[in-house]
């Protein structure tokens, strides 16, 4: 089975549709699948529910899909770098399901592991717990959170072989492994594509069984979200 596609647009073709739930890896702008996000924008699909740690920034990352109004709902833990996100949310034009960061990671991890729900202390007694089951364990209150199983997962990896075994690099690893495992269909953007057998099995972060399509993008922009330098 050939999992390698010539470009991001062809990798998304026949997979993305209006109204889907789509999870996107990355933390801020670190480890985001830049080419796949742009191709998703260009596909014209609308009514998306986007799961991501963040909403990108204005004009880059998922911020592009907010500007084109392709996202109707965000499930995220941080959105503070995106003015258009704030404008749409405050104007009632965008739904938001704020989720504590650790809870979001666990929702995706459980989705990939086939665990439908879990209990956590995070959010008990706050609006996060409203409408959810709260149960006592060993004298402590816990809120039940449902797992997330997105229709499509867009992932960024440093390296992949043609079978789809993935290796992430440093902090770009962030949410990507959980997103990759959770998606019903997982599409991966990689900087280095190698032949099967060239990756040491002990170095594989995401096994190929989770990966359906691969796009080679050897020169991503890797924009810095906030550049801070030391003054002389």
């Amino acid at each position: 089975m050939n999992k390698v596609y010539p470009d991001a647009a062809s990798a998304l073709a026949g997979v993305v549709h209006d109204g889907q739930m789509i999870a996107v890896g990355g933390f801020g702008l670190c480890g985001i699948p830049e080419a796949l996000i742009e191709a998703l924008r260009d596909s014209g699909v609308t009514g998306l529910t986007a799961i991501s740690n963040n909403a990108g920034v204005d004009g880059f990352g998922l911020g592009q899909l907010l500007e084109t109004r392709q996202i109707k709902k965000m499930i995220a833990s941080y959105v503070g770098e995106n003015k258009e996100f704030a404008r749409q949310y405050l104007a009632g034009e965008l739904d938001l399901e704020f989720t504590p960061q650790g809870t979001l990671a666990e929702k995706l991890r459980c989705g990939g592991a086939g665990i439908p729900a879990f209990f956590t202390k995070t959010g008990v007694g706050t609006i996060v717990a409203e409408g959810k089951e709260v149960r006592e364990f060993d004298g402590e209150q816990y809120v039940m959170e449902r797992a997330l199983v997105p229709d499509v997962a867009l992932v960024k990896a440093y390296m992949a072989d043609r079978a789809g075994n993935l290796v992430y690099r440093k902090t770009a690893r962030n949410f990507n492994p959980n997103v990759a495992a959770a998606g019903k269909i997982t599409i991966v953007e990689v900087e280095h594509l190698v032949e099967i057998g060239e990756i040491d099995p002990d170095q594989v972060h995401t096994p190929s069984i989770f990966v359906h399509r691969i796009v080679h993008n050897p020169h991503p922009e890797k924009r810095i979200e906030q550049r801070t330098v030391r003054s002389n």
Side-chain angles (χ1 to χ4, degrees):
M1 178 180 178
N2 181 23
K3 297 182 179 181
V4 181
Y5 284 70
D7 53 51
S10 60
L12 295 182
V15 173
V16 295
H17 305 286
D18 292 349
Q20 286 181 319
M21 179 182 287
I22 295 183
V24 182
F27 186 100
L29 299 182
C30 177
I32 65 171
E34 299 173 15
L36 288 172
I37 292 173
E38 290 182 3
L40 183 61
R41 176 201 62 195
D42 295 342
S43 73
V45 295
T46 61
L48 299 176
T49 295
I51 306 166
S52 178
N53 161 258
N54 67 99
V57 297
D58 294 291
F60 195 69
L62 287 179
Q64 298 172 91
L65 275 73
L66 290 172
E67 291 181 352
T68 54
R69 312 301 293 272
Q70 290 169 265
I71 297 176
K72 71 171 184 179
K73 179 179 180 179
M74 280 292 306
I75 301 175
S77 59
Y78 178 69
V79 294
E81 302 299 328
N82 195 307
K83 293 179 182 178
E84 177 59 18
F85 182 102
R87 189 201 67 74
Q88 289 186 25
Y89 173 65
L90 294 174
E93 301 169 2
L94 177 71
D95 292 333
L96 171 62
E97 186 176 320
F98 251 142
T99 306
Q101 188 159 263
T103 301
L104 181 61
E106 185 66 3
K107 280 173 165 282
L108 290 163
R109 190 196 71 81
C110 286
I115 301 170
F118 61 95
F119 284 90
T120 175
K121 293 178 68 174
T122 304
V124 172
T126 73
I127 59 173
V128 171
E130 289 183 1
K132 300 174 183 176
E133 179 182 349
V134 176
R135 189 180 298 183
E136 181 177 313
F137 295 92
D138 301 321
E140 299 284 349
Q141 296 293 310
Y142 293 78
V143 60
M144 188 180 79
E145 296 282 0
R146 293 295 305 271
L148 289 170
V149 183
D151 299 301
V152 180
L154 305 182
V155 173
K156 168 65 184 295
Y158 177 69
M159 182 185 299
D161 63 20
R162 291 182 176 275
N165 294 298
L166 306 182
V167 177
Y168 307 100
R169 187 171 185 268
K170 299 183 178 181
T171 53
R173 190 168 175 177
N174 52 61
F175 276 79
N176 279 297
N178 288 343
V179 169
K184 295 177 182 177
I185 299 293
T186 295
I187 306 173
V188 183
E189 176 181 327
V190 301
E191 295 179 47
H192 299 277
L193 182 62
V194 300
E195 297 301 323
I196 296 172
E198 290 189 45
I199 299 176
D200 181 346
D202 198 43
Q203 301 302 313
V204 171
H205 296 140
T206 293
S208 61
I209 192 172
F210 292 110
V211 175
H212 301 87
R213 299 186 176 191
I214 303 167
V215 173
H216 186 205
N217 180 18
H219 304 294
E221 182 177 344
K222 295 186 180 180
R223 188 181 301 186
I224 297 175
E225 190 167 351
Q226 294 188 19
R227 185 184 298 273
T228 303
V229 296
R230 184 175 62 185
S231 59
N232 292 331

